[in-house]
Amino acid sequence: MFGRLTLDALPHSPITLGAAIGIAVGGIVVVALLTYFKRWKWLWREWLTSLDPKKIGVMYIIVAFLMLLRALSDAAMIRAQQAVFAADPNSPISPDMFQQVFSAHGTIMIFFVAMGVMFGAFNLIVPLQIGARDVAFPLLNSISFWLFVAGMVLINVSLGIGEFSPAGWLAYPPLSELAYSPGTGVDYWIWSLEISGVGSLLSGINFLITIFTMRRVGMALMKMPIFVWSVLTSSMLIAFTFPILTVSLTLLALDRTLGMHFFTADMGGNPMMYVNLIWAWGHPEVYILILPAFGAFSEIVPVFSRKRLFGYTSMVWALASIMLLSYTVWLHHFFTMGSGANVNAFFGITTMIIAIPTGVKVFNWMFTMFRGKVRFATPMLWFMGFVVTFTIGGVTGVLQAVPPIDFQIHNSLFLVAHFHNMIIGGVLFGAFAGFTYWFPKFAGFRLHEGLGKAAFWCWLIGFLLAFGPLYILGLMGAVRRMDHYDPSLGWQGLFIVAGVGVAVILLGVFFQVVQIGYSIWKRKELAVGPDPWDGRTLEWSTPKQIPEYNYATLDAVSTRDAFWAMKHSHHEKAEPKYEAISLPKNSGFGVYIAACAFVFGFAVIWHIWWLAAVSLVALIAASIASTQRQHTHRIIPADEVAETEAKLRGAHV
Amino acid sequence: MKKQRRKFWTPLRGTVIALLIIAAVAAAIAWYLQGKNVAVFNPQGTIASDEFNLIKFTLMLSAMVVIPVYIMLFAIAFRYRESNHEKKKVKYTPDAPDMRWLEVIWWAIPIMIIGLLAVVTWVSTHQLDPYRAIDSNVKPLRVQVVVLQWKWLFIYPDYHVASVNQLKLPAETPVNFAITADGPMSTFWIPNLGSQIYAMPGMTSQLSLMADHAGSYPGYNTNINGTGYSDMYFKAEALPTQQDFDQWAQSVTAKPDHKVLDWASYTELARPSRTRDVTYYGLKDDNLYTEVVNKFMEAKTPAVSTNEEGNK
Amino acid sequence: MNEAVEQKAVLHRTTIGFWLYLMTDCALFASLFATYVVLHGSTAGGPGSRQLFELPTALTETLVLLISSYACGMAVLAMRRKNVRQVLIALAVTAVLGVTFLAIELREFITFSLDGAGWQRSAFLSAFFTLVGTHGLHILTGLIWLTVTVVTLLRVGLTDKVARQLTLFSLFWHFLDLVWIFIFTVVYLMGVAA
């Protein structure tokens, strides 16, 4: 009746039990508050079933932030174990738990924090920047978000019911096969990624079509904001590589659930095939994450230098070539798998080539600042931190691109330091910069500068302290994922420094949380108009409180930096003619479909076959039903539009 | 009237302080690392030496780009910061056309540097190919490695001995490794001596290493293979001469009650267990390694490998 | 906002979006083909492609699918001429042939499984069942989609929305036929030769 689910699946270790209870209590508190303040209807109507990309974007970011807290706790545990308990055979963190902790850390950071922030940014910024009112497929957008949530819930359920994968964030076979990992851990990993991966793929398609077909009249591709170009190239990557992830996960699931032999050690299975497939997805994935960060910086640097972006065409070519090249480098993740010199050398060279367009972008940013008027508000600080750290990461990347060098670095802590360098210095700093930059647009008030700067310095110094020692440790022979090491090797001091670094980072996060809270509290003092930074792109042209339909009129544009042109044009603005606007109605299908997917995943993991069948049928039925919606739109009549515009723009000083 | 405060952070002061901090950190690191084995930067074998030279060369090339980038970044940021515009005669050209010649330079220089590195990569990747034997007049030693859960088995087929968790080899002699795993994918790595390579069940990887002189060098597994992964640490003992090595091999079988490694005792050894004990065996079955590799090729029934240390 | 212009824009986006989805489906099948090719020889001492595959079966499946694609094309042409009756007949033929295809494929799968050549026997067989089976699941999805569309057609008539649905379905169906040609070539023809 319950498959292999028994009471034994509840947590055994106090730490896991504590975490599970903590999350459960948090959930109960939220439910209680919603009930007490009678906000269920409001939550359902205003947020959960909304098809407004602005709302969906905010929800993505909230979920991503919660997952950041979880994954940072995992990071703290890793550091604690390696700095303090490494020599203690009775450590509170057993080797088995440690392996689940770092697997969860990596998986959550990539799939739920980075991807979450990214899709949040896509939803919030892209429609506004291209001058549109919505994305191409609003219902699909909601479904994508809820599938993301379903995956997130599944991975958090593993904390309380069952276990998580001990096989790392990519779960290489044969370790991830039944023979060596018979529990439910790897299955949780597979299904939470399978479900959220479908959401990601659908989002990639959605944003590609949005950018291709819904730009303002006159906004040619070479006139759109660079951030939109970065979303376009990232979405291309998503669309064409996420199917590979789906295949890799499915084949592993088939091995584990139906006894197939794709990647088993015996019966003809080929684990090297999995390594190739998963990295054919995995490498483009990291470019999927970094390109929008580059795009955000390309928006921020011109605005804060009061000068237009240097070399727009060059930047577009750089984005496009990075996109194409990212398909040609995947083997550099396993030079040590014995491919032979010709193959290794080929992929090493392609890996180096990708450094060129990336470097070009840095020069273009620097020369945007050249002969500009540079203000070092918090977003610009993040940019400076990014260039400083990402450059180091780039050097260590080029180092490892040389296969014989990689033979001495692969899978050591040097590698771990390198990729954290890229992700924290690149993706995370870009996310923080973008968040600080665009926050006033959506909230109507700035974030407190002082706290923002404090957070930045903590992150920068914390990052250097946390990962500098790891570079050295890697060169000393310290490998990744170890829960203990021989004390005589003299590594502990460096691990302690790294632990201090993580503590400083956590202080930075604390400042960020306080910054948000404090800024909300002091929002009257921190209030700003609709264009606080003297922006250049269309999103800054909306009134302070962005109407649901974004733009009342879809006037044509003719140049890059369309809003800048509007501000500095000397044309008399004609009296706008308002027409009726059609907006999508809310829909609960995102929630229903994702709920079915979640139950299906849970059922397969625990071998509750009857439930899997029922939820699969329900999933199909819900999907079909979602296509049969009548009255999918509501009309806002022209005079209501006029009224709203008068109110919003009249209120603006 | 507000008193004009002299700004503390001038560019010169900032640069000097930053450089001082970097120097202090470097000194602290150097002090901490005294007497420690920074293996990758401390090559004790020919392969590791070649790889270290490559690292130095690549770092130098990278510095040619990175140092100018850092200098330019801070110079531009400082010079063109907003407060500087009021004070000095700093140019502000918000609508200046792009300087095409600059773009040519910063596409061209990286292309040239990467081009050079690409050539070096091609050549060195072939020279340091793990499949390639080391050039030497000395007859190579054959060692077969079976990576187990969670210990190391080294078989010396020509000497009819085997050792667990300790590798013995003669210095200045090329060693040709044949490497496999009886368990999940793992890695064989002795950083002081050179390259690492994956060990995979049902397959054989090849590697050649040579120690320059006698010494004891740590060896690691870098690819997670189960709960006892962190226990997988061994020592590679390079003995001064070939005679020393011969003596050791003979001493293993000289003892009348020495352990014997055949298929039965191997199966026992291969069961998942966490041990750092060093054990020596007399090798009863010279084909043991091949049989281990073939274990995964045989069709009839799936190879059962019980995971004693079940998860949770 | 002009209702008709808006509608056209939505149809346009949906069509392009569907083409894009088909391209991502290509990436999916490409990965499965790559896996199949790599694992083709990994028979673990069990039956391989030469022992198992029967070309007459595969050829029959191919012809059935080709004809059903033809019928589907006829349906779209009839739809353009607004001839609902002919649309329904052509779609019925498409569906019947689609079901026939699945039946033949299912029979092949069951025969293999009973003969000791199930998907658990070897990596090669896992790859075969998954590649061909994924295609079959796509066909099944298409048939479900076709059913829903026909039901809608019968209920509301040949509206623009229904016409678009039929056009996209036909794209999907032809795409699956194309994938089948690759399967026929790479799996069956090349599997039996050499």
Side-chain angles (χ1 to χ4, degrees):
Chain A
M1 166 82 176
F2 290 115
R4 53 178 174 165
L5 179 60
T6 64
L7 277 176
D8 201 40
L10 291 171
H12 298 296
S13 103
I15 297 181
T16 322
L17 186 60
I21 291 179
I23 293 183
V25 164
I28 292 173
V29 165
V30 170
V31 166
L33 284 173
L34 284 170
T35 314
Y36 179 74
F37 287 109
K38 295 206 190 9
R39 294 287 235 171
W40 283 106
K41 267 230 172 81
W42 166 85
L43 184 69
W44 182 256
R45 246 206 329 258
E46 289 297 315
W47 288 94
L48 304 187
T49 59
S50 169
L51 299 192
D52 181 354
K54 300 187 287 297
K55 297 239 167 100
I56 293 179
V58 169
M59 290 196 286
Y60 263 117
I61 297 206
I62 292 176
V63 172
F65 181 71
L66 290 173
M67 287 294 99
L68 175 68
L69 295 179
R70 161 129 193 229
L72 280 176
S73 332
D74 287 325
M77 282 200 278
I78 296 172
R79 282 284 135 261
Q81 171 66 23
Q82 291 179 332
V84 177
F85 298 111
D88 179 4
N90 295 321
S91 160
I93 304 172
S94 68
D96 185 61
M97 176 154 78
F98 184 81
Q99 295 180 345
Q100 291 178 47
V101 164
F102 68 66
S103 305
H105 169 78
T107 307
I108 292 177
M109 282 294 194
I110 297 271
F111 288 97
F112 297 103
V113 178
M115 296 293 276
V117 165
M118 194 185 76
F119 284 128
F122 286 12
N123 270 286
L124 285 167
I125 311 297
V126 171
L128 284 172
Q129 273 200 339
I130 62 175
R133 293 192 172 126
D134 206 332
V135 294
F137 307 114
L139 178 60
L140 209 62
N141 200 16
S142 174
I143 294 174
S144 290
F145 169 71
W146 285 107
L147 287 174
F148 167 80
V149 170
M152 181 273 291
V153 173
L154 207 51
I155 210 176
N156 281 295
V157 164
S158 78
L159 201 51
I161 306 178
E163 58 193 4
F164 193 63
S165 165
W169 80 282
L170 280 184
Y172 276 14
L175 181 62
S176 55
E177 292 280 354
L178 283 176
Y180 300 105
S181 294
T184 53
V186 177
D187 298 302
Y188 266 111
W189 179 85
I190 290 174
W191 287 103
S192 77
L193 298 190
E194 186 91 284
I195 294 172
S196 64
V198 171
S200 300
L201 174 62
L202 295 175
S203 272
I205 297 178
N206 210 344
F207 281 97
L208 263 181
I209 303 301
T210 305
I211 296 172
F212 279 137
T213 64
M214 293 174 73
R215 282 165 287 126
R216 269 307 164 84
V217 173
M219 189 184 278
L221 282 174
M222 289 305 270
K223 295 206 176 121
M224 29 179 226
I226 278 273
F227 180 73
V228 181
W229 264 112
S230 73
V231 174
L232 192 156
T233 45
S234 178
S235 302
M236 285 271 214
L237 286 174
I238 294 174
F240 291 103
T241 56
F242 264 78
I244 306 177
L245 176 70
T246 305
V247 166
S248 313
L249 295 173
T250 307
L251 299 186
L252 187 61
L254 289 172
D255 274 4
R256 290 180 64 87
T257 318
L258 293 184
M260 296 207 190
H261 288 290
F262 286 100
F263 313 121
T264 50
D266 55 354
M267 304 298 274
N270 193 339
M272 296 197 294
M273 185 72 209
Y274 178 92
V275 173
N276 273 277
L277 280 173
I278 203 75
W279 279 116
W281 163 83
H283 193 84
E285 163 69 6
V286 307
Y287 284 97
I288 288 169
L289 295 177
I290 196 67
L291 291 181
F294 289 166
F297 286 126
S298 295
E299 296 294 323
I300 289 170
V301 174
V303 167
F304 287 87
S305 306
R306 296 197 200 277
K307 180 165 170 277
R308 65 160 193 204
L309 183 67
F310 185 104
Y312 177 99
T313 310
S314 211
M315 291 295 244
V316 172
W317 278 104
L319 282 172
S321 47
I322 293 174
M323 176 189 83
L324 288 170
L325 284 169
S326 71
Y327 285 110
T328 64
V329 305
W330 80 87
L331 196 127
H332 71 230
H333 297 275
F334 46 94
F335 281 138
T336 56
M337 204 159 76
S339 310
N342 287 336
V343 171
N344 275 354
F346 171 81
F347 279 95
I349 294 174
T350 54
T351 307
M352 286 170 210
I353 293 178
I354 249 191
I356 299 173
T358 316
V360 162
K361 294 180 87 64
V362 174
F363 287 116
N364 277 355
W365 286 316
M366 286 201 308
F367 276 83
T368 305
M369 289 170 22
F370 180 77
R371 292 195 182 157
K373 274 194 195 162
V374 188
R375 303 171 274 163
F376 284 101
T378 306
M380 212 45 192
L381 281 182
W382 286 114
F383 168 73
M384 296 293 284
F386 153 74
V387 178
V388 168
T389 54
F390 198 75
T391 307
I392 302 174
V395 170
T396 55
V398 167
L399 260 181
Q400 289 168 88
V402 182
I405 298 181
D406 189 62
F407 293 161
Q408 287 281 63
I409 292 182
H410 178 68
N411 269 358
S412 69
L413 286 179
F414 191 97
L415 169 68
V416 172
H418 160 75
F419 64 69
H420 279 90
N421 212 333
M422 304 309 251
I423 297 183
I424 296 181
V427 180
L428 222 48
F429 282 17
F432 294 149
F435 183 75
T436 318
Y437 174 59
W438 274 302
F439 183 88
K441 178 79 257 182
F442 295 98
F445 57 93
R446 277 186 304 112
L447 289 168
H448 186 266
E449 262 298 297
L451 286 169
K453 291 200 161 108
F456 163 73
W457 285 109
C458 285
W459 266 99
L460 182 64
I461 295 173
F463 165 77
L464 291 170
L465 281 177
F467 291 98
L470 260 56
Y471 277 120
I472 303 172
L473 279 166
L475 294 174
M476 294 174 84
V479 308
R480 69 191 297 195
R481 299 170 169 163
M482 9 162 238
D483 54 85
H484 60 267
Y485 49 86
D486 199 323
S488 67
L489 291 163
W491 295 346
Q492 190 180 22
L494 289 168
F495 276 116
I496 293 177
V497 175
V500 170
V502 167
V504 176
I505 289 180
L506 289 176
L507 183 62
V509 174
F510 172 74
F511 277 126
Q512 286 171 311
V513 172
V514 168
Q515 182 195 38
I516 295 175
Y518 183 76
S519 306
I520 294 177
W521 184 36
K522 295 282 185 196
R523 60 190 181 278
K524 296 246 172 20
E525 286 97 330
L526 293 167
V528 293
D531 182 19
W533 308 116
D534 197 15
R536 310 178 76 90
T537 42
L538 277 180
E539 74 270 27
W540 303 104
S541 72
T542 58
K544 178 165 147 157
Q545 194 186 332
I546 307 177
E548 196 189 347
Y549 48 76
N550 293 352
Y551 300 103
T553 55
L554 301 174
D555 306 324
V557 301
S558 55
T559 58
R560 282 175 204 157
D561 290 342
F563 181 51
W564 191 260
M566 277 163 61
K567 282 196 288 193
H568 297 267
S569 86
H570 302 293
H571 292 311
E572 258 308 311
K573 264 195 73 181
E575 200 44 51
K577 249 182 28 133
Y578 296 122
E579 294 181 335
I581 294 179
S582 164
L583 282 182
K585 274 193 181 168
N586 284 11
S587 170
F589 275 109
V591 179
Y592 308 145
I593 291 174
C596 295
F598 166 77
V599 173
F600 177 74
F602 186 83
V604 172
I605 289 169
W606 289 102
H607 296 181
I608 312 175
W609 304 121
W610 65 266
L611 186 58
V614 165
S615 57
L616 183 60
V617 169
L619 178 61
I620 296 173
S623 306
I624 296 177
S626 73
T627 64
Q628 302 300 308
R629 290 159 72 223
Q630 307 296 328
H631 315 296
T632 55
H633 283 70
R634 61 184 215 284
I635 310 283
I636 305 180
D639 48 341
E640 192 181 320
V641 174
E643 222 180 279
T644 315
E645 286 296 294
K647 198 169 61 169
L648 292 175
R649 291 203 184 268
H652 158 228
V653 177
Chain B
M1 190 171 117
K2 220 167 115 185
K3 198 165 91 152
Q4 276 281 58
R5 272 180 53 212
R6 272 213 58 172
K7 278 206 67 167
F8 179 74
W9 288 111
T10 66
L12 182 61
R13 275 204 195 125
T15 313
V16 168
I17 290 181
L19 287 176
L20 280 177
I21 293 180
I22 294 175
V25 168
I29 295 174
W31 168 82
Y32 179 84
L33 291 177
Q34 270 180 344
K36 298 213 174 65
N37 177 16
V38 184
V40 175
F41 282 5
N42 181 21
Q44 303 292 317
T46 50
I47 303 287
S49 299
D50 291 341
E51 285 161 354
F52 185 41
N53 289 337
L54 262 180
I55 292 177
K56 287 188 281 196
F57 174 75
T58 310
L59 280 177
M60 246 177 38
L61 266 189
S62 310
M64 284 171 50
V65 176
V66 167
I67 294 180
V69 165
Y70 278 138
I71 294 176
M72 277 197 288
L73 175 74
F74 287 104
I76 292 177
F78 268 120
R79 183 173 168 78
Y80 294 101
R81 69 192 191 284
E82 197 162 39
S83 51
N84 218 23
H85 278 270
E86 292 118 40
K87 283 193 290 194
K88 308 198 185 140
K89 284 266 201 285
V90 177
K91 265 202 192 158
Y92 172 53
T93 57
D95 296 307
D98 298 336
M99 297 177 260
R100 210 20 69 83
W101 58 274
L102 260 184
E103 294 203 66
V104 168
I105 292 184
W106 66 56
W107 277 95
I109 294 187
I111 288 178
M112 291 195 293
I113 294 182
I114 296 294
L116 172 60
L117 192 58
V119 170
V120 170
T121 299
W122 184 266
V123 171
S124 64
T125 304
H126 283 81
Q127 271 174 354
L128 290 165
D129 184 5
Y131 289 105
R132 207 172 134 156
I134 294 179
D135 275 330
S136 170
N137 296 328
V138 182
K139 179 166 173 287
L141 169 69
R142 267 201 317 155
V143 177
Q144 295 162 335
V145 183
V146 181
V147 185
L148 300 166
Q149 285 181 305
W150 290 284
K151 45 217 178 278
W152 302 85
L153 172 62
F154 301 103
I155 300 173
Y156 312 82
D158 303 323
Y159 289 81
H160 313 291
V161 292
S163 59
V164 169
N165 283 338
Q166 188 188 69
L167 173 67
K168 289 257 202 249
L169 48 119
E172 292 174 56
T173 309
V175 182
N176 291 343
F177 293 96
I179 304 162
T180 191
D182 189 351
M185 213 186 271
S186 312
T187 316
F188 172 72
W189 189 35
I190 309 171
N192 285 106
L193 296 185
S195 314
Q196 64 182 280
I197 193 133
Y198 278 178
M200 296 174 276
M203 306 177 65
T204 289
S205 311
Q206 290 173 26
L207 183 65
S208 290
L209 296 173
M210 183 160 84
D212 289 335
H213 36 247
S216 175
Y217 310 115
Y220 307 96
N221 172 18
T222 72
N223 204 53
I224 185 171
N225 66 342
T227 323
Y229 162 69
S230 300
D231 288 315
M232 297 206 61
Y233 169 60
F234 70 92
K235 282 273 175 64
E237 309 279 347
L239 301 168
T241 63
Q242 181 67 44
Q243 287 82 342
D244 294 313
F245 181 80
D246 294 340
Q247 262 175 16
W248 166 76
Q250 277 160 14
S251 73
V252 171
T253 43
K255 284 199 276 267
D257 57 342
H258 66 263
K259 292 207 174 139
V260 162
L261 189 64
D262 54 14
W263 186 255
S265 56
Y266 168 79
T267 313
E268 189 59 38
L269 178 66
R271 292 232 234 108
S273 66
R274 300 166 60 173
T275 172
R276 301 274 299 277
D277 294 340
V278 174
T279 330
Y280 303 133
Y281 292 84
L283 186 66
K284 212 39 178 321
D285 182 357
D286 280 353
N287 277 326
L288 183 63
Y289 177 83
T290 316
E291 286 159 24
V292 171
V293 174
N294 287 340
K295 184 166 96 158
F296 293 93
M297 316 264 240
E298 270 147 26
K300 313 332 172 239
T301 44
V304 169
S305 179
T306 51
N307 191 348
E308 274 181 18
E309 319 253 5
N311 294 324
K312 221 189 205 169
Chain C
M1 185 77 214
N2 194 333
E3 188 68 41
V5 170
E6 175 80 30
Q7 269 289 63
K8 263 194 82 178
V10 169
L11 290 176
H12 175 59
R13 271 177 238 146
T14 312
T15 309
I16 300 190
F18 192 74
W19 274 103
L20 186 56
Y21 156 71
L22 284 182
M23 291 199 264
T24 69
D25 224 6
C26 267
L28 189 111
F29 276 108
S31 310
L32 289 173
F33 271 103
T35 307
Y36 176 83
V37 167
V38 167
L39 295 177
H40 175 245
S42 305
T43 52
S49 56
R50 286 227 285 181
Q51 291 82 39
L52 279 174
F53 297 154
E54 288 176 13
L55 280 185
T57 315
L59 188 58
T60 311
E61 287 173 287
T62 310
L63 288 173
V64 164
L65 216 55
L66 274 173
I67 300 174
S68 88
S69 241
Y70 180 76
C72 184
M74 292 285 105
V76 171
L77 289 177
M79 178 192 87
R80 301 250 170 84
R81 291 193 305 267
K82 308 252 193 278
N83 187 331
V84 174
R85 198 170 147 271
Q86 279 187 358
V87 168
L88 288 171
I89 295 176
L91 287 179
V93 173
T94 309
V96 165
L97 289 172
V99 172
T100 311
F101 171 87
L102 280 183
I104 301 175
E105 187 159 277
L106 204 58
R107 191 161 151 269
E108 185 191 33
F109 282 6
I110 294 177
T111 313
F112 284 2
S113 302
L114 293 176
D115 276 345
W119 61 60
Q120 294 187 348
R121 179 63 188 81
S122 67
F124 156 69
L125 281 162
S126 301
F128 165 76
F129 275 92
T130 305
L131 171 59
V132 180
T134 303
H135 175 267
L137 279 176
H138 277 75
I139 295 277
L140 179 62
T141 308
L143 290 173
I144 296 176
W145 183 8
L146 180 58
T147 311
V148 172
T149 309
V150 166
V151 166
T152 316
L153 170 59
L154 289 171
R155 257 192 2 194
V156 304
L158 199 53
T159 61
D160 276 344
K161 205 163 168 235
V162 170
R164 176 190 67 191
Q165 284 294 316
L166 275 176
T167 312
L168 295 182
F169 167 78
S170 75
L171 273 180
F172 188 61
W173 202 250
H174 296 315
F175 167 73
L176 289 179
D177 199 15
L178 183 60
V179 174
W180 177 259
I181 301 297
F182 276 94
I183 292 181
F184 180 61
T185 311
V186 172
V187 175
Y188 290 98
L189 283 182
M190 287 167 60
V192 167

